[in-house]
Amino acid sequence: MSKAKSLFVRTTVALSTAAIATLALAGLAGPAQAESPVLGTVALAPTGGSVHDNPFVTAATTSAACPTGFGENAALKVGPPGGPYSPLARIGGLANYDQAPFTLAANRSLATALGAAPADGTYEVAVSCSGTTGTAPKDFSTLITVTGDSWAVKNAAATTTRLTAKPGLFAFEGQRVTLTATVRHNAAGSVEFFAGSTSVGTAPVTDGRAVLTSTTLPTGLLQLKATFTPDDPRLFVASTSQICYLVIG
């Protein structure tokens, strides 16, 4: 084999190996992560009552600010999941809704907003954000259930996350370590892995597990952590798992 051909082969192998390592670390080998259907959640006060109570709620607080550029107006509304919606209050026009989480209040009952006492089932209470360029494509949202003349917030289901590492207990510097987070309760979402306060990477949950492989964990006694974030925070609650792990230099 000529020197030029040998150099080409060695270079190709090196580049391929580096590309594989980069993909493993970033968790890009798995399927694409699902996008959250909402901007965040809405905390209601009170969390239940009569469909005839006026106002329906005294406070509906968003979990975050409106997206940048969509903070001119905010509207509180209710309807079946996905709409169509009916207003629960006048549109808020104080502006600056994209600066911080905020609170709106209803000025009518649930029955009045929907035009009649609602049928039993699940409804969506949402806050939409809008600006000079239009309305944000997603809302802050929470789900409620109606039974007879009563309503109550539909609480998100708890989840549990269990983190394991392979090889177990310890590894040597530069050794391939596979981190696996098992998420229970059939929850869709993603898991971000940490070594101490440093993010190692993020992987999607597939069939109840998120897997990420790294060869660059720092040396020393580490606190490895896996944080699960659900795709839909209205349905599932985030959860975290931690383990101690030793990387020998």
Side-chain angles (χ1 to χ4, degrees):
M1 182 183 293
S2 67
K3 290 184 179 180
K5 185 174 182 180
S6 177
L7 178 60
F8 173 78
V9 171
R10 291 199 304 272
T11 302
T12 301
V13 171
L15 290 174
S16 299
T17 302
I20 292 172
T22 300
L23 287 173
L25 177 59
L28 295 179
Q33 298 180 39
E35 189 177 8
S36 173
V38 293
L39 288 170
T41 56
V42 180
L44 302 180
T47 57
S50 168
V51 297
H52 301 290
D53 287 340
N54 188 7
F56 162 59
V57 292
T58 56
T61 304
T62 62
S63 59
C66 288
T68 301
F70 294 97
E72 190 73 20
N73 299 293
L76 180 62
K77 56 190 183 181
V78 65
Y85 302 102
S86 300
L88 278 164
R90 295 186 181 90
I91 294 176
L94 298 178
N96 297 324
Y97 291 117
D98 55 358
Q99 301 301 305
F102 57 92
T103 298
L104 299 177
N107 66 1
R108 63 204 66 175
S109 69
L110 185 61
T112 299
L114 294 174
D120 290 1
T122 299
Y123 295 82
E124 182 180 14
V125 179
V127 173
S128 60
C129 304
S130 59
T132 56
T133 58
T135 301
K138 296 180 183 180
D139 296 334
F140 295 97
S141 169
T142 196
L143 300 175
I144 63 171
T145 55
V146 171
T147 305
D149 284 343
S150 299
W151 70 272
V153 169
K154 186 174 183 178
N155 293 321
T159 64
T160 59
T161 298
R162 179 174 177 267
L163 174 62
T164 59
K166 187 177 181 180
L169 300 180
F170 70 91
F172 294 97
E173 183 179 12
Q175 185 175 355
R176 182 186 182 95
V177 177
T178 300
L179 304 176
T180 300
T182 302
V183 180
R184 299 191 64 181
H185 213 308
N186 260 345
S190 61
V191 173
E192 186 170 12
F193 297 88
F194 295 86
S197 59
T198 302
S199 177
V200 178
T202 301
V205 176
T206 303
D207 296 328
R209 299 196 313 161
V211 181
L212 185 140
T213 299
S214 174
T215 58
T216 59
L217 291 179
T219 58
L221 183 61
L222 305 176
Q223 191 77 24
L224 298 181
K225 182 172 70 173
T227 298
F228 166 69
T229 301
D231 283 342
D232 193 338
R234 301 171 303 177
L235 302 180
F236 297 102
V237 178
S239 56
T240 297
S241 177
Q242 299 185 64
I243 60 172
C244 288
Y245 198 77
L246 178 64
V247 178
I248 303 171

